[in-house]
Amino acid sequence: MPSFLFISLLLSFIHFSFSLPSIGVTYSTTTTTASPPPDKISATISTLKIPNVRLPDADPSLIKAFAFTNTSLFLSIPNPLLPAVAANRSLALRWLYRHVLPFYPRSKITLISVGNAVLDSVAEQDFTPYLLPAMRNLHLALHELGIKKIPVSTTFSFFSTITTAFPPSSAEFQQPAGDLIIKPLLQFLEETNSSFLINLYPYNLYRLNSEIPVGFALFQDYPFNFRDDLVTGVRYFNLFDMMADSVLTAMAVMGYESVPVIVAETGWPSGGGEAGEVEANEAYAEMYLKGLVRHLKSGVGTPLKKDGVAEVYVYELMDHEGGNNNNNKVKGRKWGILTENMTRKFNVEISSGVKNYGLMGIFLFLIAIFYAFP
């Protein structure tokens, strides 16, 4: 009995200490060209062994195509629906009856984002007053249907949310949105065991700041390829961690450092964009993706948080003819890990695979075996 208890404690310690962030991909449709059949998208995701998929366009036929695949689905409600969902819970129920109830749990829906980057569209149409009421209505509607394992959140953009990434210790949420919108939203996330979702693009920050070496943005191990936070003494070896810790710092300033963080979008374009975007090329895109996946699978987290971010979604699954059609991104950029005809562009394994427990995990496992068979 003592040896069994000892082994159980060791194995639980290994599981707790070395859990890795889950890596997924975004699949967005386009209005300009015909999209591949949902079954083909689902089969491609399964072939690539990608465990999580984010669907900004939550088409019911696409959700249905992932039934019994064990692929986790991250759905989104588009911004224009926020006023209606905020005003009337019956409309939240109607959305769930169309997009969730017919498929769950056969389709493994694990998260719903109410809106995406709403702060980016304030100049055109301000959806921020509807954000938290819509989230509450959807959360209550899920519980009314007896569904208590699908958390509700919303997605923010780094550049319209965080004041600075240099240094991370000085980061805060931009005001007045920080106090008026984000703080009460963080309280809701904490109360409902949900996560803070952020779109995080080192490429865009690199483009805005000429002092950032491209190797620092691409996870390259060059000599002197680091930046120090002189306030905390923390050393950073890549831009992704620097931006992630800026988000974590801003959350800690408001007292919500325990809320998990999910990177809803990240990536590096392999072509297209504006004239002069020479860094948008396939070689750099592959370097970024390989570096990101290697870093996440290493289990080191970020300098300020050993667990790091909880999940990361690469943007995106495939290129679209004429480039991306998302208004929040420069038209013409190619973000896909697959081409328009769904062939692979990069030799990158996004699948989570076996967890790498490191030397400590192996050591503890050997001790467990020793005590199990004296």
Side-chain angles (χ1 to χ4, degrees):
M1 178 64 72
S3 62
F4 175 78
L5 178 61
F6 179 72
I7 293 167
S8 299
L9 289 172
L10 276 175
L11 293 177
S12 65
F13 173 80
I14 291 173
H15 176 76
F16 175 80
S17 300
F18 296 92
S19 60
L20 302 179
S22 184
I23 309 171
V25 69
T26 293
Y27 171 66
S28 58
T29 57
T30 175
T31 57
T32 57
T33 57
S35 299
D39 289 343
K40 186 175 182 180
I41 296 296
S42 174
T44 300
I45 295 291
S46 297
T47 301
L48 294 172
K49 299 180 181 179
I50 298 174
N52 305 319
V53 177
R54 174 174 171 261
L55 301 175
D57 317 303
D59 182 81
S61 62
L62 192 57
I63 300 169
K64 181 181 179 180
F66 283 96
F68 305 111
T69 62
N70 203 36
T71 302
S72 297
L73 301 182
F74 166 2
L75 308 184
S76 293
I77 296 180
N79 292 352
L81 289 183
L82 264 60
V85 175
N88 196 330
R89 196 188 306 169
S90 64
L91 294 179
L93 282 166
R94 185 184 302 176
W95 189 91
L96 292 172
Y97 274 116
R98 176 170 167 77
H99 297 88
V100 175
L101 206 60
F103 317 112
Y104 180 83
R106 297 181 300 279
S107 294
K108 192 178 174 182
I109 301 167
T110 56
L111 180 62
I112 300 175
S113 174
V114 179
N116 180 39
V118 293
L119 295 178
D120 291 3
S121 61
V122 168
E124 302 169 7
Q125 187 171 359
D126 188 6
F127 293 108
T128 56
Y130 312 106
L131 191 55
L132 192 52
M135 291 170 64
R136 286 198 176 108
N137 273 348
L138 191 71
H139 173 75
L140 292 171
L142 281 165
H143 280 239
E144 189 174 320
L145 294 172
I147 301 173
K148 298 182 180 180
K149 293 185 178 181
I150 301 179
V152 173
S153 188
T154 189
T155 307
F156 291 100
S157 167
F158 182 91
F159 294 98
S160 60
T161 308
I162 305 298
T163 55
T164 182
F166 298 96
S169 59
S170 299
E172 295 180 340
F173 288 114
Q174 295 179 25
Q175 297 297 342
D179 288 336
L180 296 179
I181 300 166
I182 298 176
K183 189 171 185 178
L185 187 141
L186 284 168
Q187 182 179 353
F188 170 84
L189 297 179
E190 185 178 64
E191 291 172 350
T192 59
N193 295 315
S194 190
S195 303
F196 185 79
L197 314 180
I198 189 85
N199 297 335
L200 195 153
Y201 286 94
Y203 176 79
N204 291 340
L205 186 55
Y206 164 76
R207 291 272 301 163
L208 290 172
N209 193 327
S210 59
E211 296 181 1
I212 301 174
V214 68
F216 187 67
L218 293 172
F219 297 92
Q220 297 304 294
D221 297 326
Y222 299 146
F224 308 107
N225 196 41
F226 58 83
R227 291 291 181 272
D228 291 332
D229 187 328
L230 298 179
V231 177
T232 60
V234 172
R235 176 161 291 183
Y236 289 89
F237 293 94
N238 64 78
L239 189 54
F240 180 89
D241 278 354
M242 208 168 214
M243 296 175 74
D245 275 356
S246 297
V247 177
L248 293 167
T249 298
M251 293 170 65
V253 168
M254 288 193 166
Y256 293 98
E257 61 272 15
S258 62
V259 174
V261 173
I262 292 176
V263 177
E265 290 183 15
T266 191
W268 193 284
S270 61
E274 300 171 338
E277 284 193 56
V278 295
E279 298 86 0
N281 61 67
E282 287 197 15
Y284 281 180
E286 186 169 8
M287 289 168 68
Y288 179 78
L289 289 174
K290 282 185 173 179
L292 174 69
V293 172
R294 182 177 64 251
H295 179 58
L296 294 174
K297 288 184 177 182
S298 72
V300 298
T302 71
L304 292 187
K305 190 173 184 181
K306 291 182 179 180
D307 293 339
V309 295
E311 298 175 20
V312 175
Y313 290 82
V314 173
Y315 190 89
E316 63 178 329
L317 177 64
M318 59 183 289
D319 290 335
H320 299 296
E321 187 177 341
N324 183 272
N325 69 323
N326 187 326
N327 292 331
N328 294 323
K329 298 177 181 67
V330 174
K331 186 177 181 181
R333 285 179 182 165
K334 305 281 189 177
W335 296 90
I337 62 173
L338 306 177
T339 64
E340 291 95 333
N341 60 9
M342 301 186 71
T343 58
R344 294 184 69 162
K345 290 195 289 185
F346 314 120
N347 184 24
V348 180
E349 295 296 331
I350 293 180
S351 59
S352 296
V354 180
K355 293 182 179 181
N356 176 16
Y357 295 116
L359 293 176
M360 180 60 73
I362 295 171
F363 176 70
L364 292 174
F365 179 75
L366 291 174
I367 291 177
I369 295 296
F370 176 80
Y371 274 87
F373 303 101

